[in-house]
Amino acid sequence: MSVPVKSPLTLRLPIRRSNHIHGRTNVKKLRILIADDHELIRRGARVVLHSQPGWEVVGEAGDGWEAVEKAIDLKPDVAVVDLSMPELEGIEAVRKIREAAPSSKVLVLTMHESDRMVQRALDAGAHGYILKSDLTQCLVKAVKVVSSGKPFLTPKVSKIMLEGSLNAERERQQMQRARARTTPRETEITRLLAEGKTNKEIAVLLGIAVRTVESHRATIMLKLGLHSLTELIHYAIRHGITTVQGT
């Protein structure tokens, strides 16, 4: 009696797609330049960045001019730049890197917690701004974001910017209220002082005593919360009292 022969069993296994194809992986490769005058900071940043597959620190710089020169030569995807460096200060280094290597994104890594410094860096062309105290927590994310062309600020830096903006608005309102309290004579004396006139010259022009001018001047400074003639000149220019700075 013959025994029926069964057809061989065919197993269909699911195909697992791999990122590894012919020795390559689909990781994003980035070439990074680190510019900081402190070796310890460069070393720490290098360790953090090298932890990412495909990322390579292609160069390091210890001063501003070296950072610009290496950015031109290496054309990194991202340049991580400090703001306090010798030879060429960081803001100017950022500006020159952006001009000379426009394809390179610039990420500022600094200890400066100032809204004005953040704004200066962004105005110079920086794509992101993080503090050195946040290096280990935020550097990788910051590099990823700016490398894609998007801006990056840490929550702490965003808070600094917001507080700076609110303080500036409060100061503006205070100055407006103070200006509303100044008399026409005080405004005239403010203009003359800003244009470089001395107390004696103002007294002659207005037909009043020098001591009266001095008294008005003291009152103006008190009302406006100013502490020097330079501040008064800047105030007068900002508020349209004068357009010419005295010498």
Side-chain angles (χ1 to χ4, degrees):
M1 178 177 180
S2 62
V3 178
V5 179
K6 295 182 179 179
S7 60
L9 180 64
T10 301
L11 296 179
R12 295 185 178 275
L13 299 176
I15 298 175
R16 179 177 296 176
R17 297 185 180 275
S18 172
N19 287 331
H20 191 278
I21 303 175
H22 301 301
R24 295 183 180 180
T25 56
N26 291 334
V27 297
K28 183 176 182 180
K29 294 187 177 182
L30 287 178
R31 301 173 68 256
I32 304 165
L33 170 68
I34 303 174
D36 195 294
D37 60 329
H38 291 96
E39 167 63 26
L40 187 60
I41 296 296
R42 296 202 305 272
R43 187 185 310 163
R46 185 169 63 246
V47 169
V48 171
L49 295 171
H50 275 165
S51 69
Q52 299 301 300
W55 290 18
E56 179 186 6
V57 175
V58 294
E60 297 183 21
D63 63 63
W65 277 118
E66 186 181 12
V68 175
E69 291 169 355
K70 289 198 173 181
I72 294 172
D73 292 339
L74 300 171
K75 294 181 175 55
D77 298 302
V78 178
V80 180
V81 181
D82 184 22
L83 293 184
S84 299
M85 292 189 291
E87 303 301 330
L88 181 69
E89 62 101 15
I91 295 294
E92 191 60 28
V94 170
R95 183 176 292 107
K96 289 186 179 298
I97 289 172
R98 293 292 296 127
E99 291 173 353
S103 63
S104 298
K105 306 300 188 294
V106 177
L107 171 65
V108 168
L109 175 63
T110 182
M111 62 186 297
H112 291 289
E113 300 183 21
S114 162
D115 63 295
R116 292 183 181 180
M117 191 64 79
V118 177
Q119 192 59 58
R120 286 185 63 205
L122 297 178
D123 289 343
H127 296 81
Y129 194 108
I130 69 174
L131 301 174
K132 290 182 177 179
S133 57
D134 295 328
L135 187 154
T136 55
Q137 295 88 350
C138 299
L139 183 58
V140 168
K141 183 177 180 180
V143 170
K144 285 181 179 178
V145 172
V146 301
S147 68
S148 67
K150 298 177 182 178
F152 183 89
L153 300 177
T154 64
K156 187 172 184 179
V157 173
S158 296
K159 182 180 179 182
I160 290 170
M161 290 290 286
L162 177 60
E163 290 177 348
S165 178
L166 294 175
N167 288 337
E169 178 60 21
R170 281 194 292 269
E171 290 176 3
R172 186 185 68 81
Q173 292 177 356
Q174 289 173 355
M175 294 292 267
Q176 286 182 336
R177 289 193 293 269
R179 186 181 181 189
R181 294 196 302 269
T182 57
T183 66
R185 175 51 60 91
E186 289 168 348
T187 300
E188 178 68 5
I189 291 175
T190 298
R191 180 181 66 80
L192 294 171
L193 286 169
E195 292 175 356
K197 299 292 190 297
T198 65
N199 291 345
K200 184 175 181 180
E201 289 171 335
I202 294 172
V204 172
L205 285 170
L206 300 181
I208 57 179
V210 173
R211 286 189 177 182
T212 303
V213 175
E214 293 172 348
S215 177
H216 278 306
R217 179 171 177 168
T219 301
I220 291 166
M221 301 295 276
L222 182 62
K223 283 184 177 181
L224 300 179
L226 305 176
H227 303 91
S228 68
L229 181 58
T230 299
E231 290 183 358
L232 184 141
I233 291 170
H234 291 164
Y235 167 85
I237 293 173
R238 283 198 310 271
H239 292 83
I241 297 173
T242 184
T243 57
V244 180
Q245 180 171 326
T247 57

